[in-house]
Amino acid sequence: MAVDGDQVAAQVAQGQGRALNGSFDDDPESYDDLRAAGHMARRRVAFFSTAVHRTPGPVVELGCGTGTLLRQLAAAHPDRDFLGVEPLANYVEFARREAAALGLSNVRFEAATGEVLGTVVPPGSAGLVISVDALHHVQDLDRVVDEVFTATRRCGRWVAMEPDRLHPYVLAYHVLTEGERTFPARDFLRRARSRGWELVRRRRLFTYPSGVARVPGWAARLERRWEHRPFLAGAIVHDLVRP
């Protein structure tokens, strides 16, 4: 599939002049450190590694940031192909350098928005699409839902993890921080179903904030026991399948 470079550039340029990622737009190194460290980061890698293991085919991450998660998944699954799609060009450059430094040949990164995902992902090619804290940043959610549907093969999955605005801390952070928004989970699911996506499972994760480096074993067990409850979880996950 031919990539329309002008279209991609125009879509990426839409984000210029506004913060896409809070105060980290011009600081990929700090953002990468933030996403790579801590209790939540380790759990996030384990969660998506399970998703990769159970779903065959190429893996695409929408809004991959600096590629932190995708590099770890690519290293853990050398037999799989990974593609990260991210609107911030400096993040893409950083991700490419880091992947090259690690000698990862099964992962690549491209600059594009979700609204033009089809310019970098051929129709029906992705076995698994993942997105983490990305959808609450997009401009046209309906178009993104449609683009991901088109890019995903039949029986492919989309696992979308977003901040759960029912959690008081998450709500306050995403209302008060520049470049952040809350995520309307019910509205997203309605839009996804109208396009043809089917919900396999919806779940909540992560009681402890992302800044927590480590928790003792008893606290980790308590988190897994209680995190499914509204107001206690920082993230909500929709596991969708394309029929």
Side-chain angles (χ1 to χ4, degrees):
M1 179 180 178
V3 175
D4 187 337
D6 291 338
Q7 187 181 22
V8 173
Q11 288 293 327
V12 174
Q14 286 183 357
Q16 295 180 351
R18 66 179 180 87
L20 290 180
N21 194 29
S23 61
F24 291 99
D25 280 13
D26 298 320
D27 192 1
E29 291 84 0
S30 295
Y31 184 67
D32 196 73
D33 289 342
L34 176 69
R35 299 295 288 188
H39 171 72
M40 183 189 293
R42 290 187 292 274
R43 286 201 62 196
R44 189 164 49 231
V45 171
F47 177 84
F48 282 102
S49 187
T50 298
V52 171
H53 181 73
R54 75 185 183 200
T55 310
V59 180
V60 175
E61 183 178 4
L62 176 66
C64 67
T66 53
T68 315
L69 173 61
L70 215 57
R71 292 195 306 271
Q72 294 180 79
L73 293 177
H77 302 271
D79 58 326
R80 301 288 291 278
D81 292 324
F82 297 83
L83 168 63
V85 180
E86 164 62 36
L88 289 172
N90 59 332
Y91 278 27
V92 172
E93 293 172 2
F94 179 92
R96 288 172 176 169
R97 290 197 303 268
E98 292 298 304
L102 293 172
L104 296 173
S105 59
N106 62 328
V107 60
R108 62 187 179 91
F109 299 92
E110 299 291 346
T113 65
E115 288 87 347
V116 292
L117 185 64
T119 61
V120 291
V121 183
S125 63
L128 172 66
V129 176
I130 64 177
S131 55
V132 185
D133 299 343
L135 299 180
H136 66 282
H137 291 291
V138 304
Q139 293 296 293
D140 188 340
L141 186 56
D142 283 323
R143 187 170 177 184
V144 172
V145 167
D146 186 71
E147 287 283 308
V148 177
F149 188 91
T150 301
T152 306
R153 63 178 56 171
R154 189 171 179 272
C155 297
R157 304 287 272 267
W158 181 11
V159 182
M161 177 181 289
E162 291 291 321
D164 188 350
R165 64 180 180 180
L166 295 182
H167 190 291
Y169 169 81
V170 171
L171 177 62
Y173 177 83
H174 286 83
V175 168
L176 298 176
T177 302
E178 181 187 6
E180 293 292 350
R181 302 175 181 174
T182 60
F183 178 70
R186 291 184 179 179
D187 180 63
F188 165 70
L189 185 56
R190 177 186 62 79
R191 293 170 188 266
R193 281 173 164 161
S194 69
R195 181 57 179 91
W197 289 102
E198 294 181 0
L199 180 66
V200 176
R201 184 181 182 185
R202 180 169 61 187
R203 61 187 297 181
R204 289 181 167 87
L205 298 170
F206 310 141
T207 298
Y208 304 112
S210 59
V212 175
R214 292 188 178 276
V215 299
W218 65 266
R221 291 189 293 272
L222 190 65
E223 178 182 46
R224 292 177 184 272
R225 180 176 179 180
W226 293 102
E227 65 186 355
H228 65 281
R229 297 176 180 270
F231 309 108
L232 293 180
I236 186 166
V237 184
H238 292 86
D239 186 349
L240 305 166
V241 64
R242 182 192 189 281

